[in-house]
């Protein structure tokens, strides 16, 4: 099969941006402040970046807000992060409704503290009618856990006779992940210069363009988002295929 390049296959604007918000601790340390100050400033960046995504025409924004590994942090830091999340949800739902932001979550929400879980459920419900941007918060999220869950769910479907083993396809597998129904991210942004995926969306990032910036998350602003999108637009996305005479050949 041959398709034209770059227009058919290279969107100028990423439809889905995923962000690993890193560097809050370092931002605070540079100022001699407690780490939570960095998380607080980091949390205040979220609305601005949502608005930047809407302005740019991005449809999905997925933020890595709390990983399954983050439970290993000191108790007071975890409690502080949960409070920030609660505060964010309490204060920002009205703004989300004004901006047309629909909130979603991935990760084991059931294991979060009750107060946070309830606020999340309410915010998801209260923003469910919006359709300009889907903001997904990855909370208590770990990609390997998610993949194992999807494998379990498919195994159960085979066991019950609902499907045959050879009916398991990449598409069916994707649909059993917590991101089922969402397009894979086109662009992954990681702040603070780290070159790691940190157990984030391992399946979904297979063909994603990666933009790493030295900026720490609390300093990441709209211009940095525009720079990341411009970097993405300049990339030649080939999905492993070759470009010949302006066309990309993909296996039939
Ligand atoms: C990584 O910085 C950041 C986190 C583990 C948490 C991200 C959370 C927020 C931005 C605030 C709450 C989120 C929302 C959506 C309201 P780090 O602490 O690992 O930084 P370091 O590597 O410099 O120590």
């Amino acid at each position: 099969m041959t398709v034209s390049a770059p227009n058919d296959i290279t969107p100028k604007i990423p439809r889905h941006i995923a962000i690993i918000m890193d560097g809050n601790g370092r931002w605070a340390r540079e100022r001699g402040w407690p780490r939570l100050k960095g998380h607080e400033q980091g949390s205040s960046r979220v609305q601005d970046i949502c608005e930047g995504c809407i302005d740019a025409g991005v449809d999905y924004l997925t933020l890595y807000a709390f990983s399954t590994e983050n439970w290993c942090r000191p108790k007071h830091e975890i409690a502080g992060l949960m409070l920030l999340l609660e505060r964010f949800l309490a204060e920002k739902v009205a703004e989300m409704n004004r901006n047309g932001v629909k909130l979603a979550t991935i990760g084991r929400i059931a294991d979060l503290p009750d107060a946070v879980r309830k606020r999340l459920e309410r915010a998801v419900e209260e923003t469910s009618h919006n359709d300009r941007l889907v903001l997904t918060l990855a909370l208590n999220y770990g990609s390997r856990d998610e993949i194992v869950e999807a494998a379990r769910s498919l195994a159960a479907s085979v066991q019950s006779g609902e499907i045959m083993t050879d009916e398991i396809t990449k598409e069916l597998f994707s649909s059993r992940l917590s991101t089922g129904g969402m397009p894979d991210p086109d662009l992954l942004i990681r702040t603070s210069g780290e070159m790691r995926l940190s157990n984030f969306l391992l399946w979904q990032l297979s063909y994603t363009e990666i933009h790493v910036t030295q900026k720490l998350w609390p300093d990441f602003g709209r211009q940095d988002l525009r720079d990341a999108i411009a970097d993405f637009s300049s990339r030649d996305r080939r999905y492993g295929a070759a470009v010949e005479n302006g066309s990309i050949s993909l296996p039939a």
Side-chain angles (χ1 to χ4, degrees), residues 21-27 35 39 42-43 46 63-65 70 73 77 81 84-85 88 137 217:
M21 307 180 287
D22 198 9
N24 295 348
R26 274 163 282 174
W27 185 91
R35 294 176 56 80
H39 294 314
S43 142
V46 173
L63 301 177
Y64 204 6
N70 287 154
R73 295 192 174 209
E77 184 173 343
L81 276 166
L84 274 175
L85 193 61
F88 171 84
L137 298 181
W217 175 251

Side-chain angles (χ1 to χ4, degrees), residues 104-115:
T105 61
I106 53 173
R108 288 188 192 200
I109 303 306
D111 296 342
L112 292 173
D114 275 358

Side-chain angles (χ1 to χ4, degrees), residues 30-51:
E30 280 173 5
R31 289 159 179 79
W33 294 345
R35 294 176 56 80
L36 268 175
K37 273 275 174 208
H39 294 314
E40 198 178 318
Q41 179 66 18
S43 142
S44 79
R45 297 281 74 237
V46 173
Q47 189 185 326
D48 200 25
I49 296 309
C50 281
E51 290 172 2

Side-chain angles (χ1 to χ4, degrees), residues 36 66 71 74-86:
L36 268 175
F66 193 87
W71 293 113
K75 274 205 170 87
H76 73 274
E77 184 173 343
I78 296 173
L81 276 166
M82 294 299 149
L83 264 180
L84 274 175
L85 193 61
E86 253 190 275

